[in-house]
Amino acid sequence: MLLTRLAQVSQEVAATSARSRKIALLAELFRDAEADDVPIVIPYLAGRLPQGRLGIGWKVLSHPVAPAAEPTLTVRDVDARLTELGKVSGAGSQAERARLVGELMAAATEDEQRFLFGLITGEVRQGALDAVAVEGLAVATGAPPADVRRAVMLAGSLQDVARALLADGPESLDRFRLTVGRPVLPMLAHTASSVSEAVAKLGGCAVEEKLDGIRVQVHREGDTVRIYTRTLDDITDRLPELTSAALELRGERFILDGEVIAFDDAGRPRSFQETAGRVGSRVDVATAAEEVPVSPVFFDALSVDGRDLLDLPFADRHAELARLIPEPMRVRRTLVAGPEDLARAEEFLAETLGRGHEGVVVKALDAPYSAGRRGASWLKVKPVHTLDLVVLAAEWGHGRRTGKLSNLHLGARTADGGFAMLGKTFKGMTDAMLTWQTERLQELAVETGDWVVTVRPELVVEIAYDGLQRSTRYPAGVTLRFARVVRYREDKRPEEADTVETLLAAHPEVKP
């Protein structure tokens, strides 16, 4: 498939808000695709690169390249070139990346260049998400949508199911079953603003600790244990203590859902960055395990003794979990009968926060496990941190944000009267906000480049964020996790913005 076809569909999907039209566009695209195109087409539509981060920054992308007159690039050509880019490392890597990016852009038409810029920078957000792609595949192949959704859930990969469907038709869906040793996408939670809102929506429910750890899925078949992340990466070799824990359980064939988390000597959770760093460590695992040991905490059972539990109510799945897992390895929880029992839920939230965890997840007792979906029967509740920060610069957007200043550079006040950048965000902005900030920031501009507009530090913006982590990229040694815009504070002056010292004091667990 030519890249120009994909870029055109991406643009058309971005231009419509009608779900039915998005599905029709994707169905037509899938009919035209070959089975081997699918593992590339699907992530590209969702704005993801199969290769992950490529180490390509704005400096590499800032040099304009004359576009090709005619489209010749195929999606597989692009994938091969980006794979080559991802392998570049060592001395001279920056120059080599620039050369390869230049060659790629020279082979692309103007529309293809625009699409590639958005893809590489992570700003392809046209709403062609996996759920819509599933519907498009169903229409394209004549398969029942529910069967496609379940196959994707059990395969853990939309790309694998799409390739099978396009190659072999709807009959191929029968091969996708819940199997020990083959991970499935985890069930995710929606957000509720409060425990009372969550309990009001769900009625009888379990209120469980929300741990700031790493999601894991543990598979055991006899003496063989495999451990997978929420993105289905196999990390068994990195977590020997989790393998040992799984082998000590009384069951010999199961699939469990949970998290691993690092605790300090007082039993309080260490920072997320420490847990993530430990799980990500691939070299000298034994030393890493000694320095930052992690503990498993399980909260669901998907399969026990060869029985598929996905369609059972959560109350029944938890009963199976409790039969297998000793209480210290299960997530803390309390049962709530409904809104009349709200005080119990509120008290549990307060206790959870007091233990250093980030909130709670409220789960309906009668709900099945909706693998790979953000189900309405799981609702997470956690306090929202906010800061008043100053906009230091903004980057021009791509895709539907072309021509708009989108990605904000955020700064907090420093002791010497300056500002220290804490990170960037393009999240939380409405179309009206994008239009307003583009005009306002250009009025404040002191330097206008091809990609970044530097502004006078005068505009204060309220930012919500989930936490803080260490970072060597920024001058304060820390950066915000999951920052998003709440609103602009034109009623505040820059000297009223929050300071780096205030931020660090609010997160004593993070030391720059």
Side-chain angles (χ1 to χ4, degrees):
M1 172 178 284
L2 286 173
L3 181 66
T4 188
R5 176 85 170 89
L6 180 59
Q8 178 187 5
V9 170
S10 175
Q11 186 175 10
E12 290 178 359
V13 169
T16 180
S17 60
R19 183 182 175 88
S20 59
R21 177 59 180 158
K22 292 180 191 288
I23 292 171
L25 287 166
L26 296 186
E28 185 178 354
L29 179 72
F30 291 138
R31 290 190 190 102
D32 293 343
E34 297 180 17
D36 288 341
D37 292 329
V38 167
I40 307 164
V41 167
I42 286 178
Y44 279 16
L45 283 168
R48 300 190 302 266
L49 288 173
Q51 297 85 356
R53 289 182 177 272
L54 296 176
I56 301 173
W58 290 106
K59 187 175 181 180
V60 173
L61 293 168
S62 62
H63 304 290
V65 177
E70 299 293 333
T72 59
L73 283 174
T74 68
V75 293
R76 277 179 265 178
D77 288 337
V78 173
D79 183 64
R81 290 174 186 240
L82 293 180
T83 297
E84 185 179 357
L85 262 167
K87 295 178 180 178
V88 175
S89 63
S93 59
Q94 188 76 353
E96 179 63 6
R97 289 192 190 100
R99 184 185 70 80
L100 292 173
V101 168
E103 288 181 356
L104 174 60
M105 292 303 178
T109 65
E110 186 174 355
D111 285 346
E112 290 170 337
Q113 283 188 352
R114 190 177 300 114
F115 178 76
L116 288 170
F117 274 126
L119 188 64
I120 293 171
T121 59
E123 289 213 12
V124 173
R125 291 183 298 277
Q126 75 280 59
L129 302 179
D130 288 347
V132 181
V134 165
E135 300 292 332
L137 274 171
V139 172
T141 60
D147 291 354
V148 179
R149 282 193 293 270
R150 185 170 182 83
V152 171
M153 175 181 77
L154 298 179
S157 169
L158 174 56
Q159 289 96 307
D160 287 349
V161 173
R163 178 187 275 152
L165 270 173
L166 293 175
D168 302 321
E171 296 77 14
S172 66
L173 297 179
D174 292 338
R175 73 184 67 156
F176 298 104
R177 303 179 184 277
L178 183 64
T179 304
V180 176
R182 187 170 68 190
V184 299
L185 291 168
M187 182 173 177
L188 304 174
H190 277 291
T191 299
S193 61
S194 65
V195 168
S196 60
E197 177 190 332
V199 172
K201 286 182 177 179
L202 300 182
C205 55
V207 183
E208 299 183 345
E209 288 180 331
K210 187 179 189 311
L211 308 179
D212 197 14
I214 299 293
R215 187 81 171 262
V216 291
Q217 194 175 110
V218 177
H219 293 234
R220 177 180 172 184
E221 180 81 65
D223 292 335
T224 300
V225 175
R226 307 308 302 175
I227 304 164
Y228 303 93
T229 66
R230 65 180 289 171
T231 54
L232 312 187
D233 296 321
D234 189 330
I235 57 170
T236 308
D237 294 342
R238 304 181 213 169
L239 299 174
E241 62 265 60
L242 190 51
T243 296
S244 298
L247 290 173
E248 291 174 2
L249 299 175
R250 60 173 62 98
E252 292 194 353
R253 191 180 184 195
F254 52 70
I255 303 174
L256 304 177
D257 193 2
E259 296 209 3
V260 289
I261 187 169
F263 294 100
D264 63 19
D265 293 339
R268 294 180 64 82
R270 296 168 75 161
S271 72
F272 172 80
Q273 197 168 13
E274 289 179 277
T275 298
R278 164 60 212 287
V279 174
S281 178
R282 303 168 186 265
V283 180
D284 196 359
V285 171
T287 299
E290 184 177 344
E291 293 178 350
V292 185
V294 293
S295 302
V297 183
F298 296 108
F299 48 73
D300 217 325
L302 312 188
S303 175
V304 174
D305 298 331
R307 292 183 296 120
D308 182 339
L309 308 181
L310 295 176
D311 293 329
L312 292 182
F314 176 51
D316 294 350
R317 298 199 310 277
H318 192 273
E320 289 292 329
L321 182 75
R323 185 172 65 83
L324 281 181
I325 310 297
E327 187 173 357
M329 292 172 61
R330 299 198 308 265
V331 73
R332 288 189 182 94
R333 71 199 306 246
T334 189
L335 296 180
V336 175
E340 68 278 8
D341 203 13
L342 182 59
R344 182 196 300 271
E346 297 280 9
E347 182 181 1
F348 184 80
L349 171 61
E351 293 171 352
T352 298
L353 295 174
R355 286 190 289 268
H357 297 299
E358 64 174 4
V360 296
V361 182
V362 184
K363 301 178 179 180
L365 295 173
D366 59 354
Y369 191 94
S370 300
R373 305 186 70 182
R374 200 170 288 280
S377 57
W378 285 14
L379 299 173
K380 56 186 176 183
V381 180
K382 57 183 180 179
V384 176
H385 307 289
T386 61
L387 290 170
D388 289 331
L389 300 177
V390 173
V391 180
L392 305 178
E395 298 169 4
W396 291 106
H398 296 280
R400 72 177 187 85
R401 294 190 177 189
T402 297
K404 302 289 178 63
L405 285 172
S406 174
N407 207 15
L408 303 178
H409 295 201
L410 305 168
R413 288 190 296 126
T414 57
D416 61 4
F419 295 93
M421 187 173 171
L422 297 176
K424 306 177 185 180
T425 189
F426 51 73
K427 299 182 183 296
M429 301 172 188
T430 65
D431 289 343
M433 186 181 293
L434 279 166
T435 299
W436 179 86
Q437 76 183 25
T438 299
E439 295 176 359
R440 184 73 180 96
L441 292 173
Q442 288 184 95
E443 293 172 358
L444 298 173
V446 295
E447 184 179 347
T448 301
D450 291 334
W451 301 109
V452 179
V453 175
T454 303
V455 301
R456 297 194 302 275
E458 298 178 7
L459 191 58
V460 178
V461 61
E462 184 178 347
I463 297 293
Y465 67 103
D466 285 5
L468 194 66
Q469 67 184 46
R470 293 191 302 273
S471 173
T472 58
R473 292 183 58 190
Y474 297 108
V478 294
T479 188
L480 305 177
R481 292 179 59 205
F482 305 112
R484 60 267 188 200
V485 174
V486 177
R487 56 177 172 159
Y488 277 99
R489 297 298 307 267
E490 290 192 282
D491 59 321
K492 286 197 170 186
R493 301 186 305 276
E495 53 268 31
E496 296 178 272
D498 285 301
T499 66
V500 172
E501 290 74 18
T502 299
L503 174 65
L504 295 176
H507 299 276
E509 74 281 4
V510 179
K511 298 179 177 60

